[in-house]
């Protein structure tokens, strides 16, 4: 029998991403601190913002991948 894996993302994290996607579809999602970065233009960006918000709230979300320097 296959071993059951624990989920990487909590349900609450999924809800945060859902809410951000809704804001993106309405055109009210904004990027940057305090929304000063302008309107969110892509779905990927909206998902990333939702996960970031979930991370800040302390929900179960994998850590952000480290960027490699050139």
């Amino acid at each position: 029998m296959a071993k059951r894996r624990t989920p990487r993302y909590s349900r609450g994290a999924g809800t945060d991403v859902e809410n951000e996607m809704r804001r993106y579809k309405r055109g009210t999602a904004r990027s940057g601190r305090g929304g000063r970065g302008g309107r969110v233009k892509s779905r990927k960006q909206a998902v990333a913002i939702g996960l970031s918000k979930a991370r800040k709230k302390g929900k179960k979300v994998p850590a952000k991948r480290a960027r490699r320097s050139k």
Side-chain angles (χ1 to χ4, degrees), residues 27-67:
T28 58
R30 301 188 63 81
S31 65
R33 285 183 67 81
R36 286 175 173 79
R39 202 177 88 243
V40 173
K41 292 186 177 88
S42 72
R43 292 172 62 88
K44 275 187 181 180
Q45 198 180 3
V47 169
I49 291 168
L51 289 174
S52 180
K53 285 181 177 178
R55 216 174 264 121
K56 277 190 179 130
K57 287 180 187 173
K59 293 182 178 164
K60 190 182 174 190
V61 180
K64 222 171 144 182
R65 285 171 60 188
R67 287 175 60 186

Side-chain angles (χ1 to χ4, degrees), residues 9 12 14 16 22 47 51 58:
Y9 299 89
D16 282 351
R22 225 167 259 133
V47 169
L51 289 174

